[in-house]
DNA sequence: CCGTATCCTCATCGATACTG
DNA sequence: CAGTATCGATGAGGATACGG
């Protein structure tokens, strides 16, 4: 088993599609992206992060953070000598390698909104292109 | 409502995250990517496509194709003068604008596999970076 | 503060049978 | 061939209560 980290929620893929699926699954779900964005402005403690990621429950935040940590995207640091304990999550430099990917998604998604709202121009281009 | 096309499966997002979510949702799910890949080698009829996208049921293929068509990623052409009717699906040139995005996901996903299998080097880099 | 445990709802997807 | 209709399983995610 070459890729034990992520649970195979989707069908097995062959060749190049496997890695696309991996990246998609890593960014997929409801909360992964907001969490990464929330941490992109600097380290956050659990409660801070929960306030930033509006609507997330402690259960989901805990679960998602665990997955992201296992994948090396963020690090978890426990300050044990305080009461109560303070836990800080930091976006790893490896996690920041996702930024170009997210940016690519952002660019496409943004133009897609305008594309959907002005389908006429696109249709004419389609027609011209055959 | 600025974006009526895609069902809002996920929480509303603010600012830049909306468009990332849009792109992610469009590519997300189990079958969208395999279908796009299957059509990237040229037009396909329904049954052909179902053979190419291994494991998909007619129900899912029909549903996914409808969504992709609504989003302008592919076109549906009906040859009504044959018995039985022939329906051909073609990846629109607009659909091909997704290729760079998919390529970005592919690149990251591929290096992630090697990253996960050689975490030592990454850990050392992390440590040095602080 | 930082989570975990339990129960619950709902969307997604699969299997199967059926129609034009 | 190209789908649709129906039923059922599965799992992501939410609500709430509780523990360290």
């Amino acid at each position: 088993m070459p890729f034990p980290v992520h649970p195979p929620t989707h069908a097995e893929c062959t060749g190049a599609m496997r890695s696309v699926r991996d990246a998609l699954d890593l960014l997929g779900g409801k909360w992964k992206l907001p969490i990464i964005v929330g941490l992109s402005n600097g380290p956050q403690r659990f409660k801070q992060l929960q306030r930033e990621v509006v609507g997330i429950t402690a259960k989901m935040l805990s679960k998602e953070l665990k997955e992201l940590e296992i994948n090396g995207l963020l690090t978890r640091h426990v300050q044990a000598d305080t009461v109560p304990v303070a836990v800080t999550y930091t976006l790893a430099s490896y996690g920041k390698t996702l930024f170009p990917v997210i940016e690519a998604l952002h660019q496409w998604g943004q133009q897609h909104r305008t594309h959907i709202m002005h389908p006429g121009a696109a249709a004419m281009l389609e027609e011209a292109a055959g």
Side-chain angles (χ1 to χ4, degrees), chain A residues 93-108:
Chain A
S93 58
Y94 180 58
K96 297 176 186 174
T97 63
L98 273 174
F99 287 169
V101 181
I102 294 173
E103 178 59 19
L105 291 162
H106 169 62
Q107 295 287 348
W108 194 92

Side-chain angles (χ1 to χ4, degrees), chain A residues 20-42:
Chain A
V20 183
R21 181 91 287 145
D22 292 343
L24 234 28
D25 288 350
L26 206 70
L27 245 40
K30 186 170 178 176
W31 298 114
K32 298 277 168 53
L33 182 67
I35 290 172
I36 291 171
V37 171
L39 284 177
S40 66
N41 296 323

Side-chain angles (χ1 to χ4, degrees), chain A residues 35-124:
Chain A
I35 290 172
I36 291 171
V37 171
L39 284 177
S40 66
N41 296 323
Q44 301 266 1
R45 292 181 56 178
F46 189 89
K47 198 67 178 182
Q48 288 180 301
L49 196 50
Q50 187 173 7
R51 270 186 289 267
E52 187 134 343
V53 181
V54 180
I56 197 172
T57 62
K59 171 190 165 187
M60 287 310 294
L61 183 55
S62 174
K63 173 173 162 272
E64 303 286 80
L65 286 171
K66 226 172 273 179
E67 291 186 29
L68 293 173
E69 188 193 2
I70 288 176
N71 278 280
L73 301 180
L74 55 83
T75 60
R76 179 178 184 269
H77 183 246
V78 182
Q79 190 88 0
D81 57 356
T82 64
V83 175
V85 297
V87 180
T88 305
Y89 293 90
T90 306
L91 191 63
S93 58
Y94 180 58
K96 297 176 186 174
T97 63
L98 273 174
F99 287 169
V101 181
I102 294 173
E103 178 59 19
L105 291 162
H106 169 62
Q107 295 287 348
W108 194 92
Q110 193 148 34
Q111 71 76 33
H112 185 53
R113 282 179 175 266
T114 76
H115 183 268
I116 288 298
M117 292 195 288
H118 304 290
M124 282 157 56

